[in-house]
Structure formats: C-alpha cells, structure tokens
Amino acid sequence: MNPYAKLTFTASLLLGTTMTISSNHWVMAWMGLEINTLAIIPLIAKPHHPRAIEAAIKYFLTQAAASTLLLFSSSINAWSTGQWDITLLNNPTSCILLTTAIAMKLGLVPFHFWFPEVLQGSSLTTAMLLSTVMKFPPLTILFMTSPSLNPTLLTAMAISSTALGGWMGLNQTQVRKILAFSSISHLGWMTIILIYSPKLTLLTFYMYCLMTITVFLTLNTTKTLKLSTMMTSWTKTPMLNATLMMTLLSLAGLPPLTGFLPKWLIIQELTKQEMTVAASTIAILSLLGLFFYLRLAYYSTITLPPNPTNHMKQWHIYKPTNTLISTLTSLSILLLPLSPMILTIT
C-alpha cells in the first residue's frame, strides 16, 4: 500500500476515535464511528485476496447497520427529551436500541457472527487493530450511557458472550479465529461489570489491549497463522515463543500474571453487588477459554514438530530484539504486584 494512503487511513482512525471519545453530542460521536469504519475498510481489503474482500464487505455491512441503529436510537431520545447529550439517555426504547447497536459494533453475543470471519480475512496487523483500537469508541459510548442501560439485558449478553467465546474457541485451528473468540469472551467480562463499576470496565479493556497487542505482534514476528505453523515456530525464535506462552497464560487470567487482576476485581465487585450466581457462572465459563489458551501455550513451546528424514530444519532468525514486544511482554506478565498503584491511578 502507498505510504501516503496508509498515513491517511491511520490519521483518520486516530481522528475518528478522538472525535467519538471526546464528544458529548450524539451526531459527533456517530461521525467519529463512521470515519473509523471508512478508514479501516481499505486496510482490511489491502491483501487483494477474495477472503479479504469478503471480510471488508461483511465489516462494512455490519458497521453500517449498527451506525444506523445508533443514529435511530439517539433521534428517538432527542425527540422524546429534546436533548442530544449522550449522558441524557432516558427513553427506554432508545436504551435497548443503543445496546443493540453497540453490541453489533463490539461483536457481543448474539451479534458476534461477523467478528471471527472478518478477523480471519484480515492480516495480523489489521486484526490487532480490529480487536483493540476499534473497540475503544463503542466502549466509550457504553461507558458514558452506563447509568441508563438495562442491567438484566447486559448481564445476559455478558454471560452468553463468555460462554460462546469459550465454547466456539475450543475446536479452532486458525490462530486469528481463536483470538477473535477470546475477544468475545473478554467483552463478556467487561460488559457484566459496566453498570456497577464503569472504571473497572475500562481497566479490563486496557489490560486486554495490552496482552492482545503483545500476542498479535509476537505472532506477526514469527508469521504464525495456524496451530500447525505455531508448532514449528519455536525453532526460529525460542525465546519469543517462551514469552508468548507466558502472555497467553496471562490472557487466560492465571494467578501470578497481569491478566488475573481484572478478573479478580470483577468477581470481587460482583460479589459486593450480591451477584454471586453471576460471578460464579462467569468464573466457571472462563475455564472454557483457559482450555484453548493452554492449548495455544502447549503448541507454542512444548510440542515438537514431526522430524522425518526429509523434514527441512527451520533456521533461527537472528533479528535485533524488538524493544516494543519486550516491553509489552514484561507488562503483560509482571503487573500484578503493582495492582495497588494501578487501582489508585484508576
């Protein structure tokens, strides 16, 4: 892709995200989401492969429908209250329509069908953007409207997302699809706590972004797209694969690692809100996700590739150490002891 075109699309992504997260007016927020959608589509379609074009069309249709619903919801609210302020969402119909629109934008169950397919058709870098940066503006709108939303609907969608994200990820062999279902599962954790502690939702999102960006950058370095190629990548970059295993276990939420912090705080907050059943359910459902994270970790470091006599040995890649991946990996693994400081900041 032309560097100037890539610069234009990246600047548009930053502009759209900034517009949405900083606006109080529904139309400005909608414009930011539209700029984001139009900027990411050429990046998805960049490989000129039929699957990439299909992914771009699916993404465009879904996001266009979600944006229409969001505008419709804000118009109904403005008609009944006379206000275009995002925080003044008082109409019950508008609340349900907005929840539906944002669920479509994020890929929450039952509006999740587009997300794994779009990620599978994108390159690893674009998939990283779709899983992290593109979720920030819709999540910001949810954050601002959280006092007005229906808690029962959000809890049902959250538990369904965690269950389906874990269940559907079990039998996947494509790494991007596994990470797509991982994203759906994590969105369930963010959504269930949104009404009770919106700041905790944002903290969970930041931690998720940190770990997911680390995983995607590592996979991009080793050019790993399937589990079968992951089995042989350890011969090229053994140290990078060892740190990838730790990052995956952190993404699963295992205790001494960074990913345990948001899950621990969410379960604690749900228990305080007398939602012990929901907390127990979502904790048990996260074991499904743990299984496929363990499988990824197993493939990345423990499984040896087949070694017949005609098997070509892959050489080590002696590249200079990528400082960004090193820093992100360290943060993805070692932040748990700093949790009191993180909680003070947030």
Side-chain angles (χ1 to χ4, degrees):
M1 183 183 277
N2 188 319
Y4 295 112
K6 191 178 281 188
L7 179 65
T8 305
F9 297 139
T10 310
S12 301
L13 276 176
L14 288 172
L15 173 67
T17 304
T18 310
M19 276 180 67
T20 303
I21 65 178
S22 59
S23 62
N24 284 321
H25 197 283
W26 277 113
V27 176
M28 285 292 288
W30 171 79
M31 280 173 63
L33 290 171
E34 286 301 293
I35 291 170
N36 258 2
T37 302
L38 294 174
I40 198 76
I41 284 171
L43 297 177
I44 297 172
K46 183 179 65 173
H48 298 298
H49 188 272
R51 191 179 281 277
I53 306 299
E54 180 189 340
I57 291 170
K58 283 178 180 174
Y59 184 77
F60 171 72
L61 291 175
T62 314
Q63 297 300 308
S67 294
T68 308
L69 270 179
L70 186 134
L71 202 57
F72 185 43
S73 158
S74 55
S75 303
I76 290 174
N77 188 63
W79 187 38
S80 62
T81 63
Q83 293 287 338
W84 282 97
D85 197 313
I86 291 179
T87 51
L88 299 175
L89 189 71
N90 300 322
N91 189 288
T93 311
S94 294
C95 292
I96 292 171
L97 282 174
L98 176 79
T99 309
T100 307
I102 299 297
M104 286 177 76
K105 286 270 182 197
L106 291 171
L108 273 169
V109 174
F111 308 103
H112 65 282
F113 298 102
W114 64 273
F115 191 56
E117 298 298 324
V118 170
L119 241 63
Q120 181 58 29
S122 312
S123 65
L124 281 169
T125 317
T126 312
M128 179 184 73
L129 288 175
L130 286 169
S131 300
T132 54
V133 178
M134 298 301 291
K135 292 191 185 301
F136 191 40
L139 211 61
T140 310
I141 293 176
L142 269 188
F143 178 84
M144 288 192 284
T145 56
S146 57
S148 313
L149 301 177
N150 186 335
T152 312
L153 178 61
L154 282 179
T155 305
M157 290 171 81
I159 291 174
S160 306
S161 297
T162 312
L164 190 129
W167 195 259
M168 295 293 287
L170 292 179
N171 63 344
Q172 299 297 330
T173 56
Q174 299 287 335
V175 175
R176 282 168 294 184
K177 277 199 174 180
I178 292 174
L179 289 171
F181 287 115
S182 154
S183 179
I184 292 169
S185 180
H186 276 86
L187 279 170
W189 283 86
M190 294 174 214
T191 310
I192 199 166
I193 202 65
L194 179 73
I195 288 177
Y196 309 105
S197 178
K199 285 186 178 179
L200 190 47
T201 296
L202 285 185
L203 175 67
T204 310
F205 178 69
Y206 297 148
M207 293 292 184
Y208 162 75
C209 283
L210 173 68
M211 294 179 284
T212 305
I213 288 170
T214 310
V215 171
F216 270 113
L217 288 177
T218 307
L219 294 173
N220 195 40
T221 306
T222 57
K223 303 294 179 227
T224 303
L225 296 176
K226 295 184 289 187
L227 290 181
S228 56
T229 52
M230 187 178 263
M231 287 167 62
T232 58
S233 65
W234 72 272
T235 57
K236 294 189 287 185
T237 50
M239 197 62 208
L240 196 60
N241 269 41
T243 55
L244 174 63
M245 180 193 74
M246 296 298 289
T247 311
L248 287 166
L249 293 178
S250 181
L251 199 55
L254 285 183
L257 305 170
T258 303
F260 177 62
L261 173 64
K263 292 189 176 180
W264 172 31
L265 294 174
I266 287 171
I267 290 172
Q268 188 180 12
E269 185 63 33
L270 286 174
T271 312
K272 283 181 187 173
Q273 299 291 339
E274 297 182 357
M275 292 182 66
T276 316
V277 176
S280 307
T281 308
I282 203 166
I284 291 167
L285 289 171
S286 69
L287 293 175
L288 291 168
L290 176 63
F291 178 82
F292 64 74
Y293 290 122
L294 283 173
R295 190 170 69 145
L296 279 173
Y298 180 80
Y299 273 100
S300 66
T301 51
I302 302 168
T303 308
L304 293 175
N307 261 330
T309 50
N310 61 350
H311 177 73
M312 187 177 287
K313 181 72 172 173
Q314 298 203 35
W315 292 93
H316 282 255
I317 299 175
Y318 290 107
K319 286 184 177 177
T321 309
N322 190 323
T323 315
L324 177 62
I325 295 180
S326 314
T327 310
L328 289 174
T329 303
S330 304
L331 291 173
S332 300
I333 297 169
L334 303 171
L335 277 186
L336 188 63
L338 299 178
S339 50
M341 188 181 79
I342 294 168
L343 292 176
T344 308
I345 293 169
T346 55

